[in-house]
C-alpha cells in the first residue's frame, strides 16, 4: 500500500486496537484493495468515509452468567458489534466458540459490512458471540446459556434494528432457545433472528444456503475460466453446516468430495465422502469425525486438521474457520495441482496464503463473496417474516442462485473496471465498499 492517507488510517486503527490481529488482518486486506478507489474518489475522502467505516458504530460487551448441570455458576463474556448501518439494520451471526474475543468479533463484523452489501439486499453489518463452548454441554446447559445471553442482548436487537443469526457453534437449537427468550421478555413475535426453525418463521433453504451458495459462486468462477465441477476432486474442510451443504451441492454438480475435517483431524475417502454418515455423526450424534472410518472401509483418518491441504485436489473449499490455510498449505495445494480456492468459512486464508494463490495462478474466490449466500437467505427470511408469508424451497433456492450470480458479476465487473481482471478479492472489496460508501456520504457525517 502506497497511499499515505490509507497508511495513516491503518496506523491509527492499529494503535487504537492493540491485541486484535484478526481484525487488523481483515482491515488491511480491504484497505489495500481500496487504494485505486480512494485515488479516484476524493469526495469519499472529504466525507471521512474511511475513518468512519473502520470504527464500529456501537460495541456491546456483557456478562453471561448461567448455572451448569452440577449447580455451579459459570460466567462467559458476550459480544455484539453493531458495525455499520448505512444500508440497513445490522445483520450478522452469533459465534459460540472458546476462541471468541473482541478482535475476532470485530473482524467478522467488519467483513459482514461488505458481504451484506454484495448480497444486493438492505442489510448493515454486525456480529456477535461468546467464548462459551457448546461442545460437551447438555441441552439444558446450552438452553440456560442462550437464555442468559438473550436476556441482555434483547435490549440491543430487533427486527428493524439488528437481526442476529447463526455462525460457528450457533445452529437451529441455539437460535430456537434465543428466539424463545426474546419473545418471552419483549412480548413480541417478530423476525428478530434468522435461521429459525420452519415451524416458527424460518425460511426454507436457509440451512443449506451458505454451502449451496459457495458452490453456486464457485460454479460461476469455474464457468468464467472455462471449467466446471464435473469430474473434479474437491476438498471441503470442516464438517459443520457450511461444509455439509457445500459437499452436497458440489457432489450434485458432478464433483467428488474426497476429504472433510473437524478441529481434531481429517477423513479421506477416495470414493467420495458418504455425506449421510457425516450428517449422522456431526448433526445427530454430535461426535467427532474420526468415527467415520469405523463404518467406511477404504477411508482413512489423520490427526491434525491442517494436513487436509496436503491431499491432491482440483478445487479447495475451506469451510472450517479463519486462517486455516497458511502459506505452507497454500504452497502444497499449488504444488499438487489445485486450480481454484473458494472460501466457505470467514477469512480462512492467511494473507501469505492469498499471496501464494496469486503467485501460482490459483483462482481465488474470497469469503465475503463466496459465502454471502447464507446471509442473503437470511435477508430473504426477513422479507418473508415482514410479509407474514413463506416461499417454497424452489423459490428461495432460485433467488439464492440469482443473488450468487449477481455477486460474481459485481466482483468481476469491479475488478475489470479497476484494471485487475480476475482478481475477485479486489472486486469484492471494491463493489461491497462502494454501495456502503455512497450511502454514508449521502447520509452526512453520522
Ligand atoms: N454467520 C453467517 C455469515 O458469516 C450468516 C449471518 C446471517 O445470516 O446473518 O455470514
Amino acid at each position: 500500500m502506497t497511499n499515505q492517507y490509507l497508511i495513516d488510517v491503518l496506523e491509527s486503527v492499529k494503535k487504537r486496537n492493540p491485541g486484535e490481529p484478526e481484525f487488523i488482518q481483515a482491515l488491511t486486506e480491504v484497505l489495500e484493495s481500496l487504494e485505486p478507489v480512494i485515488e479516484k474518489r476524493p469526495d469519499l475522502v472529504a466525507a471521512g468515509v474511511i475513518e468512519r467505516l473502520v470504527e464500529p458504530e456501537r460495541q456491546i460487551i456483557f456478562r453471561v452468567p448461567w448455572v451448569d448441570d452440577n449447580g455451579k455458576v459459570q460466567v462467559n463474556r458476550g459480544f455484539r458489534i453493531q458495525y455499520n448501518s448505512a444500508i440497513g439494520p445490522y445483520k450478522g451471526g452469533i459465534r459460540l466458540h472458546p476462541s471468541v474475543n473482541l478482535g475476532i468479533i470485530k473482524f467478522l463484523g467488519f467483513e459482514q459490512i461488505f458481504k451484506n452489501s454484495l448480497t444486493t439486499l438492505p442489510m448493515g453489518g454486525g456480529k456477535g458471540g461468546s467464548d462459551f463452548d457448546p461442545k460437551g454441554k447438555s441441552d439444558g446447559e446450552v438452553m440456560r446459556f442462550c437464555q442468559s445471553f438473550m436476556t441482555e442482548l434483547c435490549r440491543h436487537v430487533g427486527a428493524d434494528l439488528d437481526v442476529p443469526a447463526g455462525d460457528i457453534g450457533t445452529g437451529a437449537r441455539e437460535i430456537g432457545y434465543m428466539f424463545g427468550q426474546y419473545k418471552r421478555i419483549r412480548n413480541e413475535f417478530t423476525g428478530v433472528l434468522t435461521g429459525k426453525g420452519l415451524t416458527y418463521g424460518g425460511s426454507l433453504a436457509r440451512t443449506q444456503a451458505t454451502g449451496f451458495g459457495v458452490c453456486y459462486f464457485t460454479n460461476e468462477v469455474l464457468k468464467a475460466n472455462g471449467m466446471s465441477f464435473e469430474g473434479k476432486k474437491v476438498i471441503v474442510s470442516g464438517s459443520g453446516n457450511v461444509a455439509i451443504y457445500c459437499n452436497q451441492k458440489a457432489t450434485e454438480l458432478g464433483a467428488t468430495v474426497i476429504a472433510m475435517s473437524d478441529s481434531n483431524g481429517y477423513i479421506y475417502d477416495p470414493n467420495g465422502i458418504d455425506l449421510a454418515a457425516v450428517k449422522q455423526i456431526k448433526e445427530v450424534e454430535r461426535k467427532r469425525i474420526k468415527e467415520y472410518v469405523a463404518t467406511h472401509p477404504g477411508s482413512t483418518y489423520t490427526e491434525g486438521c491442517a494436513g487436509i491441504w496436503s491431499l491432491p485436489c482440483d478445487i479447495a473449499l475451506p469451510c472450517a474457520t479463519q486462517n486455516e490455510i497458511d502459506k505452507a498449505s497454500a504452497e502444497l495445494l499449488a504444488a499438487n495441482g489445485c486450480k481454484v480456492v473458494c472460501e466457505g468459512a470467514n477469512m480462512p486464508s492467511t494473507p501469505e496464503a492469498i499471496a501464494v494463490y496469486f503467485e501460482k495462478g490459483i483462482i481465488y474466490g474470497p469469503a465475503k463473496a463466496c459465502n454471502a449466500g447464507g446471509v442473503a437467505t437470511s435477508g430473504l427470511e426477513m422479507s418473508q417474516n415482514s410479509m407474514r408469508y413463506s416461499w417454497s424451497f424452489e423459490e428461495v433456492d432460485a433467488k439464492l442462485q440469482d443473488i450468487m450470480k449477481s455477486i460474481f458479476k459485481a466482483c468481476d465487473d469491479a475488478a475489470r473496471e479497476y484494471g485487475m481482471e480476475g482478481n475477485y478479492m479486489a472486486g469484492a472489496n471494491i463493489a461491497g465498499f462502494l454501495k456502503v460508501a455512497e450511502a454514508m456520504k449521502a447520509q452526512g457525517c453520522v
Side-chain angles (χ1 to χ4, degrees):
M1 196 154 71
T2 55
N3 181 292
Q4 197 53 48
Y5 165 69
L6 289 175
I7 292 173
D8 291 346
V9 171
L10 182 58
E11 273 318 302
S12 101
V13 175
K14 281 184 184 167
K15 246 188 228 144
R16 295 167 88 183
N17 301 276
E20 298 178 3
E22 293 86 1
F23 171 55
I24 299 301
Q25 180 184 334
L27 191 82
T28 305
E29 181 207 288
V30 170
L31 292 186
E32 279 174 358
S33 293
L34 294 182
E35 207 159 7
V37 183
I38 288 309
E39 273 154 22
K40 248 198 188 171
R41 297 290 306 271
D43 58 314
L44 297 179
V45 177
V49 164
I50 301 284
E51 291 93 327
R52 289 190 281 138
L53 187 67
V54 298
E55 182 72 11
E57 289 176 16
R58 196 171 297 107
Q59 309 188 45
I60 303 149
I61 305 181
F62 51 99
R63 182 173 67 192
V64 190
W66 55 280
V67 179
D68 70 17
D69 286 347
N70 299 318
K72 192 171 176 296
V73 171
Q74 302 284 343
V75 176
N76 287 102
R77 186 172 290 174
F79 301 91
R80 187 72 189 167
I81 302 296
Q82 298 180 331
Y83 218 120
N84 191 293
S85 61
I87 63 167
Y90 309 106
K91 182 85 196 83
I94 291 172
R95 178 173 292 192
L96 301 181
H97 192 270
S99 65
V100 163
N101 57 37
L102 182 60
I104 300 259
I105 301 299
K106 276 166 69 180
F107 117 64
L108 290 164
F110 184 70
E111 290 284 289
Q112 202 81 43
I113 303 170
F114 309 98
K115 184 195 304 196
N116 294 4
S117 163
L118 284 169
T119 65
T120 69
L121 302 174
M123 298 181 289
K127 201 84 185 190
S130 172
D131 55 3
F132 174 78
D133 187 359
K135 218 182 279 169
K137 303 285 192 301
S138 69
D139 273 357
E141 289 177 325
V142 170
M143 182 179 77
R144 291 192 293 279
F145 168 82
C146 289
Q147 290 178 338
S148 180
F149 186 82
M150 185 49 91
T151 299
E152 172 62 32
L153 193 66
C154 75
R155 312 162 201 266
H156 310 289
V157 296
D160 292 316
L161 166 63
D162 183 357
V163 183
D167 195 81
I168 293 173
T170 307
R173 175 180 60 168
E174 292 74 16
I175 292 292
Y177 294 147
M178 290 182 197
F179 183 80
Q181 185 73 346
Y182 180 87
K183 182 165 65 68
R184 178 192 193 190
I185 298 178
R186 299 288 292 259
N187 198 22
E188 59 175 44
F189 194 116
T190 51
V192 63
L193 290 155
T194 60
K196 297 185 293 297
L198 296 176
T199 52
Y200 61 95
S203 172
L204 285 159
R206 175 62 189 90
T207 309
Q208 295 83 355
T210 314
F212 279 18
V214 171
C215 292
Y216 295 147
F217 187 91
T218 308
N219 209 23
E220 294 303 303
V221 169
L222 291 167
K223 270 198 278 177
N225 292 278
M227 293 181 267
S228 78
F229 267 114
E230 201 64 49
K232 297 290 187 303
K233 263 195 224 166
V234 176
I235 295 175
V236 177
S237 64
S239 47
N241 173 266
V242 180
I244 284 174
Y245 292 100
C246 196
N247 178 330
Q248 183 176 321
K249 188 53 73 178
T251 308
E252 278 172 27
L253 293 171
T256 303
V257 177
I258 55 163
M260 291 181 83
S261 60
D262 63 18
S263 56
N264 292 102
Y266 68 91
I267 51 168
Y268 168 61
D269 192 336
N271 303 316
I273 301 279
D274 170 3
L275 194 59
V278 173
K279 279 190 189 169
Q280 174 68 22
I281 295 166
K282 299 303 293 187
E283 292 181 341
V284 181
E285 298 166 14
R286 295 187 189 268
K287 285 195 179 148
R288 307 309 293 166
I289 204 155
K290 67 169 172 234
E291 305 288 328
Y292 181 92
V293 293
T295 48
H296 292 78
S299 69
T300 56
Y301 171 76
T302 311
E303 276 297 319
C305 49
I308 197 170
W309 308 118
S310 66
L311 298 168
C313 70
D314 302 301
I315 300 168
L317 304 174
C319 296
T321 195
Q322 69 268 1
N323 291 330
E324 57 171 306
I325 304 185
D326 61 7
K327 183 171 189 235
S329 298
E331 277 167 350
L332 275 174
L333 282 169
N336 288 329
C338 175
K339 291 166 204 72
V340 175
V341 176
C342 281
E343 300 178 330
N346 289 312
M347 204 169 76
S349 308
T350 66
E352 297 76 24
I354 297 170
V356 172
Y357 305 153
F358 284 109
E359 205 180 292
K360 305 280 179 173
I362 291 181
I363 303 163
Y364 170 53
K368 59 173 76 68
C370 292
N371 77 15
V375 72
T377 308
S378 279
L380 300 176
E381 183 170 329
M382 289 166 73
S383 303
Q384 293 169 84
N385 291 164
S386 301
M387 290 191 289
R388 305 202 187 286
Y389 188 71
S390 58
W391 293 317
S392 68
F393 187 97
E394 289 69 27
E395 280 173 291
V396 179
D397 189 43
K399 289 183 204 300
L400 170 64
Q401 292 189 46
D402 285 347
I403 289 172
M404 296 318 293
K405 281 185 188 159
S406 80
I407 295 176
F408 175 76
K409 190 172 180 317
C411 298
D412 195 32
D413 288 352
R416 265 177 229 275
E417 191 186 330
Y418 284 88
M420 293 179 278
E421 195 178 330
N423 183 342
Y424 306 124
M425 173 182 76
N429 288 333
I430 292 170
F433 166 77
L434 279 171
K435 180 178 176 188
V436 176
E438 302 292 5
M440 288 177 74
K441 184 182 160 200
Q443 291 169 30
C445 184
V446 291

